[in-house]
Amino acid sequence: MDLENQKRVKSAVDTHGAENVIVIIGAAEAEAAGLAAETVTNGDPTFAGPLTGVSLGLRVYHCTEPVFKDQVDPGVYDEQIGMMEMVLNVDEIMVEMKSMRDQFCKFKD
């Protein structure tokens, strides 16, 4: 997760409270999705950004996970994400995201 997005997440948490923020990740690979998820839950593992050492414990999901997908208009989802979903290893991404939530998320749905 780049430094600007880390700042945006931190600002949203400062403004709305961590319990009111959910992060949606759209990375194309499980490892990249997991790194972004770890950043917003446990802190920046690269020790380079504003979330270094900041354990926000946020709820975080990938855009292809059913918990997000089921909340979006199917036509919009197909138009914006559908093609991407066909070429991704969605199962691998979901395993990685669940692992990050299980380890570091402070808020349960």
Side-chain angles (χ1 to χ4, degrees):
M1 175 175 285
D2 69 28
L3 304 181
E4 191 59 37
N5 283 334
Q6 287 189 40
K7 282 193 247 179
R8 288 182 183 120
V9 169
K10 190 167 183 333
S11 176
V13 168
D14 291 344
T15 302
H16 303 289
E19 69 280 3
N20 297 313
V21 175
I22 297 174
V23 177
I24 306 300
I25 304 292
E29 297 175 354
E31 186 176 343
L35 185 61
E38 184 175 357
T39 300
V40 299
T41 56
N42 193 46
D44 185 356
T46 67
F47 301 101
L51 295 179
T52 296
V54 179
S55 179
L56 297 174
L58 299 178
R59 287 171 285 197
V60 59
Y61 300 94
H62 192 271
C63 64
T64 59
E65 288 187 275
V67 69
F68 172 77
K69 183 178 179 179
D70 293 348
Q71 300 300 315
V72 178
D73 177 279
V76 173
Y77 186 90
D78 286 341
E79 180 182 317
Q80 298 296 319
I81 301 172
M83 291 294 285
M84 180 176 84
E85 183 180 31
M86 287 191 266
V87 299
L88 298 180
N89 187 336
V90 174
D91 292 336
E92 188 177 295
I93 290 170
M94 288 194 313
V95 167
E96 183 69 17
M97 297 302 289
K98 183 178 181 330
S99 173
M100 291 297 114
R101 284 191 300 271
D102 289 348
Q103 290 179 70
F104 306 119
C105 186
K106 295 177 185 174
F107 307 98
K108 303 298 177 198
D109 293 323

